[in-house]
Amino acid sequence: MDKMPKWADVILTPLISLVLAMAISALVILAIGESPMVALTTMIDGALGSSYGWGFTLYYATNFIFTGLAVMVAYHASLFNIGGEGQAAMGGLGVALVLLSLPLPHWALALPAAMIGAALFGAAWALIPAWLQARRGSHIVITTIMFNFIAAAALNYILVNLLRPTGSMDPASARFPDATHLPKLSDMALALGFEWGKNTPVNISFFVAVAACVLVWLLIWRTRLGFEIRAFGKSEPAALYAGINPVRITMIAMLVSGGLAGMMAINNVMGEAERLVLNAVEGAGFIGIAVALMGRNHPLGVFLAALLFGFLYQGGGELALWTTIPRELIIVIQALVILFTGALDNMVRMPLERMFLAMRKRGA
Amino acid sequence: MAVVAQNGGRPSPAAPAAIELRGISKAFGSVQANRDIHLRVERGTIHGIIGENGAGKSTLMSILYGFYKPDSGEILVNGQPLTITDSQTAIRAGIGMVFQHFKLVQNFTVLENIILGVEDGRLLRPSLSKARGVLRRLAQEYELNVDPDETIEELSVGHQQRVEILKALYRQADILILDEPTGVLTPAEADHLFRILEGLRAEGKTIILITHKLREIMEITDTVSVMRRGEMVASVKTAETSPEQLAELMVGRKVLLNVQKAPAQPGKPILEIRNLRMVDDSGVERLRGIDLDIRAGEILGIAGVSGNGQTQLLEILGGYPEKGSTVSGEVRVNGTPLALSGAGCNAAERRRNGLGHIPEDRQAEGLIMDFAAWENVAFGYHDAPEYGRGPLMDRDAIRRDAEGKIRRFDVRPPTCDLAARNFSGGNQQKIVVAREIERNPDLLLIGQPTRGVDIGAIEFIHKRIVELRDAGKAILLVSVELDEIMSLSDRIAVMFDGRIMGERLPQNATVGDLGLLMAGVDPATAAPGDGIPPSQKHLEDLPRDH
């Protein structure tokens, strides 16, 4: 028997965790002599109070959906992929190489080509850790985190020595051709006859991310492969008994995971920067871990958690802009949310379970 | 039946009972695990508690040992009311518990484990030498010999259990509770344990034995209490009851302890194993040349103490030999050789060759415990065409199929959305059995089909296995329960140390004879010409290629 109703498990628990994180954040803000109410209204106003705020919130959320889905898929195979950062960075390289080398006349052609490049490069970056795990038993957590550093160093070298246009002092690639620029949501709104989110980076990749949520849901819960991934993730001895090949599942799950992380590049590299810059991922790979944790490894949860973290990113930026609350405090607030919704999940969950059990007993 | 002869045992009725429970109730959520339990255990007796899985035996003992707090009721120890809030209270009251899964530190020595938690001071040496003295005395008194300086991981399971008993005695336990103590023991080890328990009883200790094996109850207990669905349905003197009566009390109806089956009609050979060898990753030869044949319409039972290669044999036949092992020899199913290594050696390929497999450990292998029952019905067959089109699974088709299987195998509760872990052991096993048998395999591998399964379900599962045999299928049955082997098999092979020690027909086999083979002694060398011809001989008249 389940310990508590499903809605309490998937909605109430994260909500209470969130409120707790906010309460402690408020105390911290009070302690440095600022007003928590002002901070909260600034964040909400800045992130959700205007179409401008929404435009940035959704842009960040798009990044987090991709990296959150990446962590989620691997998690179902019981693999903890914390290499989303490096895989997303390599995805950026894939996008840049495709867009700079192929003469693509229109964004509608450039987008699928860039998606393939991004996914291939992201998956390739997950390939070696996956192979080491499947064949040699090297722990995926160790290898993927090391590959994050290798990716950062490799990209640095590639940007400075290979992709930097001659004469430029900036460690970045050349701008992508104009024809490959992705339509922004603001442009699409204009085409429909209204103004929304002017000068915001949110672009058509957002819809790709939403579609990815649906496809990942299909993969995990509706296909034979997803059945094998979940079965393997729950019990390797049982998987062997059932004829599921552990090497195959480990490789597939990690390649899909790396591919999803890499796909983030169509949003930040192709959609926003329109060239490859240093450190383009900006920690989104790690945020993906928190997003997957908070989203309880379900695409819908990942989507909602990504929106929340998009809000925190954008609202945090506003906070630094309009108040005297230092930028570092925003990181503290984000860390508190991760801490409470991810790491301290059981602190809220277990008392809740006891409460529901007690309620049921009284009802019975 | 005239029940509730509460006052079993020897001492005078005036003496207070070692343990008395009055009206104990305990619920977990909406499940009533114990309902108004009354129990009286006299001093200096061995009291058996018997019941099906999930009858509430372990819950009751956990209450006695302070792991759970009862919702209501009273506990009296030696006539004194006692509130047992934790195991420390229980230990101080003289209650010792030997769990089914031992609670020992693997890389500590026996002595270190014994004093763990009851050291006399900051320095270990005085405690250790005191314990050494106590241990020597206990070893003499009760045949509880163990080397005090051996580490636990070096000890056999039987010896580890003795350490658990010694731990309790060292803590001056007067009342010893043993939870399913013989589940992991060889028959000889179990006999030894019973001698120890009798010695303890002679010293005036009180012993509570929890088991679901009727034979043990009849053999050693003075009184026995039967639990059914959380209630104590009877307490009787063992001498005044019979196994049939106890079984009936446990399940609430008559059960057949012996399997009804017609003589086998063996047909063509289905499984042929020739010189099968296996060396594990540490270089130990676990299978040392197995030769076996099973014909259509025949059940071959493999008896043996667990750990003599049965698991390796099942895994190799099932398509997943141990990681790092080397397998050689030849295995044919329906004349087709099976791949024993490489890409073709996997469970999916075996299933395509008409092989079904009920694994030894249903919780670790046979089921995904977090998956719903309907998902588990497809588990292993999730690639079957009727379960979906292309890469997609057809959930409706699987659920329809699962509902049918659950109905036909009387899985309770009959809901296919419940996760496997929420079914009782017997019903979990029924899900596995339904899945494997209804695929109608030519060869069915069965490992411990009724381990931890209640009597009602045992009867049901045995019946289905015999039905499959009568439908002309070959069945390889591995079990550590001799009763099960003897009543189900058409032929019995005994495994010892990776070899087939000998074959017997169940009607000619005696427990003593099989026991010798299981211990690695071949009676044939002592009395040549006795018994069944060895497998090789009876194979020579079979066609080898077809």
Side-chain angles (χ1 to χ4, degrees):
Chain A
M1 191 184 311
D2 294 327
K3 289 194 176 111
M4 54 183 182
K6 191 137 180 127
W7 63 269
D9 181 47
V10 299
I11 298 173
L12 195 59
T13 313
L15 213 61
I16 293 176
S17 301
L18 193 60
V19 170
L20 282 174
M22 282 169 62
I24 294 188
S25 304
L27 289 179
V28 175
I29 293 171
L30 268 180
I32 61 165
E34 299 282 343
S35 156
M37 273 321 287
V38 172
L40 185 65
T41 45
T42 309
M43 281 182 80
I44 291 180
D45 247 15
L48 311 174
S50 63
S51 67
Y52 179 82
W54 270 103
F56 275 93
T57 299
L58 290 181
Y59 164 73
Y60 291 124
T62 306
N63 288 339
F64 303 150
I65 290 173
F66 281 120
T67 54
L69 288 176
V71 174
M72 181 205 125
V73 168
Y75 175 86
H76 278 287
S78 196
L79 297 163
F80 197 29
N81 176 18
I82 56 174
E85 194 76 9
Q87 290 144 16
M90 280 299 164
L93 181 63
V95 166
L97 292 180
V98 165
L99 295 183
L100 291 173
S101 59
L102 298 179
L104 293 157
H106 191 266
W107 69 263
L109 282 176
L111 180 60
M115 279 165 63
I116 292 169
L120 277 182
F121 271 67
W125 207 243
L127 177 74
I128 297 171
W131 188 85
L132 286 172
Q133 169 78 60
R135 287 280 179 197
R136 320 290 325 169
S138 316
H139 204 286
I140 200 99
V141 168
I142 310 290
T143 47
T144 49
I145 203 161
M146 291 199 298
F147 265 65
N148 285 340
F149 291 104
I150 301 173
L155 267 188
N156 203 338
Y157 175 84
I158 291 168
L159 278 176
V160 170
N161 296 296
L162 305 176
L163 283 182
R164 181 171 53 92
T166 39
S168 163
M169 299 292 282
D170 193 9
S173 76
R175 291 188 65 78
F176 302 147
D178 283 348
T180 65
H181 291 180
L182 288 180
K184 303 270 192 283
L185 290 202
S186 53
D187 303 335
M188 296 163 82
L190 269 184
L192 291 172
F194 63 98
E195 194 164 286
W196 185 92
K198 210 167 161 218
N199 295 326
T200 60
V202 64
N203 57 74
I204 197 164
S205 312
F206 174 71
F207 297 117
V208 178
V210 173
C213 284
V214 177
L215 287 176
V216 165
W217 174 81
L218 265 177
L219 168 72
I220 298 291
W221 278 283
R222 287 294 182 273
T223 66
R224 301 184 204 253
L225 178 62
F227 186 88
E228 292 198 348
I229 289 176
R230 285 184 296 128
F232 171 75
K234 294 285 185 196
S235 166
E236 184 167 350
L240 277 173
Y241 156 81
I244 296 166
N245 184 343
V247 173
R248 178 172 166 265
I249 295 299
T250 302
M251 298 299 290
I252 290 179
M254 277 306 286
L255 290 181
V256 172
S257 176
L260 281 164
M263 290 259 281
M264 176 192 135
I266 63 165
N267 186 46
N268 67 332
V269 175
M270 184 183 189
E272 198 255 347
E274 294 170 351
R275 59 183 185 144
L276 185 61
V277 299
L278 260 189
N279 192 24
V281 185
E282 290 183 305
F286 292 115
I287 298 289
I289 299 168
V291 167
L293 271 174
M294 189 175 182
R296 308 213 66 75
N297 291 298
H298 191 283
L300 183 61
V302 165
F303 178 79
L304 294 175
L307 280 185
L308 172 74
F309 277 90
F311 157 77
L312 286 175
Y313 250 60
Q314 169 57 13
E318 292 288 311
L319 215 52
L321 200 59
W322 300 110
T323 68
T324 49
I325 296 173
R327 175 93 210 163
E328 285 70 26
L329 195 70
I330 292 135
I331 299 173
V332 170
I333 295 173
Q334 286 161 354
L336 279 169
V337 172
I338 295 176
L339 191 67
F340 273 87
T341 57
L344 297 181
D345 187 62
N346 273 343
M347 196 177 75
V348 175
R349 181 173 305 278
M350 282 153 94
L352 264 184
E353 282 176 356
R354 275 200 290 278
M355 200 185 81
F356 275 97
L357 274 181
M359 269 165 55
R360 189 178 299 161
K361 200 186 281 175
R362 211 168 309 137
Chain B
M1 162 183 190
V3 162
V4 197
Q6 288 272 357
N7 200 10
R10 283 171 275 181
S12 68
I19 298 271
E20 190 173 352
L21 304 180
R22 291 182 183 159
I24 297 283
S25 292
K26 174 76 188 170
F28 297 102
S30 57
V31 180
Q32 192 76 34
N34 286 159
R35 191 192 308 270
D36 192 27
I37 301 281
H38 291 267
L39 176 70
R40 199 181 150 89
V41 180
E42 301 297 341
R43 294 176 69 84
T45 64
I46 299 182
H47 189 106
I49 294 184
I50 192 163
E52 294 192 285
N53 291 308
K57 307 178 299 252
S58 296
T59 306
L60 190 63
M61 291 306 119
S62 298
I63 288 173
L64 202 48
Y65 202 59
F67 282 176
Y68 298 133
K69 202 165 84 46
D71 298 336
S72 61
E74 214 186 349
I75 301 172
L76 284 83
V77 179
N78 297 320
Q80 301 296 315
L82 187 67
T83 313
I84 302 176
T85 47
D86 53 24
S87 53
Q88 288 302 319
T89 322
I91 290 168
R92 273 198 300 275
I95 300 173
M97 182 115 175
V98 176
F99 292 94
Q100 199 173 358
H101 303 285
F102 307 144
K103 310 216 180 292
L104 297 168
V105 183
Q106 288 290 313
N107 52 359
F108 272 22
T109 65
V110 171
L111 222 43
E112 286 168 332
N113 266 286
I114 297 230
I115 64 160
L116 184 65
V118 288
E119 305 89 345
D120 293 320
R122 292 196 179 279
L123 291 176
L124 283 182
R125 193 169 285 274
S127 309
L128 285 171
S129 51
K130 183 182 117 191
R132 193 181 295 276
V134 175
L135 222 58
R136 198 173 300 131
R137 188 174 55 77
L138 291 172
Q140 280 166 5
E141 273 177 54
Y142 305 116
E143 285 191 73
L144 275 164
N145 322 51
V146 262
D147 178 356
D149 298 312
E150 196 67 84
T151 53
I152 297 298
E153 55 201 355
E154 300 294 324
L155 295 180
S156 71
V157 182
H159 279 79
Q160 294 188 17
Q161 191 176 53
R162 284 184 212 169
V163 177
E164 283 284 12
I165 297 175
L166 284 167
K167 252 170 75 182
L169 294 177
Y170 188 74
R171 286 157 180 73
Q172 275 149 17
D174 263 332
I175 302 159
L176 206 57
I177 306 170
L178 296 108
D179 190 2
E180 300 281 358
T182 60
V184 288
L185 301 184
T186 64
E189 282 175 324
D191 284 345
H192 191 125
L193 171 69
F194 288 167
R195 280 207 301 283
I196 293 170
L197 296 184
E198 278 161 3
L200 289 168
R201 173 174 60 187
E203 292 290 310
K205 308 263 185 204
T206 309
I207 291 155
I208 300 178
L209 182 71
I210 303 171
T211 182
H212 63 266
K213 294 183 185 163
L214 290 167
R215 202 167 53 189
E216 292 171 1
I217 290 286
M218 297 310 295
E219 206 172 309
I220 189 163
T221 63
D222 300 308
T223 46
V224 53
S225 297
V226 184
M227 288 192 76
R228 185 169 79 221
R229 289 194 208 110
E231 292 181 59
M232 195 63 87
V233 291
S235 284
V236 292
K237 284 188 185 169
T238 311
E240 294 169 3
T241 184
S242 68
E244 289 77 15
Q245 207 170 23
L246 288 176
E248 202 183 323
L249 281 168
M250 278 165 69
V251 297
R253 66 190 164 87
K254 280 221 181 294
V255 289
L256 298 167
L257 276 182
N258 278 315
V259 182
Q260 305 273 313
K261 63 180 178 26
Q265 310 282 334
K268 63 175 176 112
I270 299 288
L271 174 72
E272 296 160 283
I273 304 177
R274 294 288 174 276
N275 194 25
L276 184 65
R277 290 172 182 275
M278 186 272 228
V279 180
D280 71 9
D281 62 347
S282 49
V284 180
E285 194 171 30
R286 306 302 291 270
L287 296 181
R288 301 162 184 263
I290 302 278
D291 290 281
L292 276 180
D293 279 62
I294 309 181
R295 290 160 172 270
E298 179 182 51
I299 300 175
L300 174 72
I302 295 192
V305 178
S306 62
N308 277 293
Q310 301 97 315
T311 303
Q312 286 75 13
L313 178 64
L314 282 180
E315 284 175 352
I316 291 169
L317 295 178
Y320 52 108
E322 216 169 277
K323 223 176 188 175
S325 64
T326 328
V327 182
S328 65
E330 197 188 4
V331 178
R332 286 166 181 270
V333 171
N334 277 329
T336 318
L338 296 184
L340 298 178
S341 60
C345 178
N346 65 70
E349 191 58 38
R350 293 285 201 271
R351 288 193 172 84
R352 278 191 282 277
N353 288 332
L355 206 124
H357 186 183
I358 298 167
E360 288 188 301
D361 188 339
R362 62 176 165 272
Q363 302 201 339
E365 294 189 345
L367 296 164
I368 301 284
M369 298 299 277
D370 288 334
F371 276 17
W374 68 270
E375 287 179 292
N376 273 302
V377 163
F379 186 56
Y381 301 99
H382 49 274
D383 275 332
E386 66 269 28
Y387 285 159
R389 219 181 317 150
L392 291 178
M393 294 188 98
D394 183 346
R395 291 156 61 97
D396 293 334
I398 300 172
R399 296 173 71 99
R400 269 197 305 279
D401 188 40
E403 273 161 15
K405 288 189 165 79
I406 281 173
R407 199 176 52 243
R408 287 189 293 277
F409 278 75
D410 190 28
V411 177
R412 276 175 274 181
T415 46
C416 64
D417 284 315
L418 202 61
R421 72 166 67 257
N422 295 326
F423 288 93
S424 73
N427 285 302
Q428 288 173 358
Q429 186 72 332
K430 280 187 192 171
I431 295 174
V432 178
V433 172
R435 177 181 76 205
E436 300 300 323
I437 282 189
E438 292 218 339
R439 281 271 147 189
N440 211 11
D442 292 334
L443 169 66
L444 182 63
L445 310 173
I446 310 178
Q448 320 296 351
T450 54
R451 179 183 278 172
V453 169
D454 50 70
I455 286 190
I458 290 178
E459 188 193 2
F460 185 89
I461 290 169
H462 283 173
K463 231 186 221 163
R464 292 302 164 112
I465 293 173
V466 172
E467 274 171 25
L468 189 72
R469 177 202 75 164
D470 291 342
K473 308 299 183 179
I475 290 161
L476 176 72
L477 168 74
V478 171
S479 175
V480 292
E481 303 285 345
L482 257 189
D483 289 346
E484 181 165 55
I485 292 281
M486 291 183 70
S487 57
L488 265 185
S489 312
D490 299 314
R491 242 175 343 120
I492 301 173
V494 182
M495 240 177 129
F496 173 77
D497 197 23
R499 264 186 276 259
I500 301 291
M501 282 302 291
E503 282 190 22
R504 297 285 184 274
L505 295 175
Q507 55 270 31
N508 311 342
T510 63
V511 174
D513 183 29
L514 292 177
L516 277 178
L517 288 172
M518 283 163 71
V521 182
D522 189 356
T525 54
D530 175 43
I532 304 298
S535 56
Q536 287 90 334
K537 206 182 281 174
H538 117 162
L539 298 177
E540 272 161 13
D541 49 359
L542 302 181
R544 292 295 282 260
D545 45 346
H546 39 84

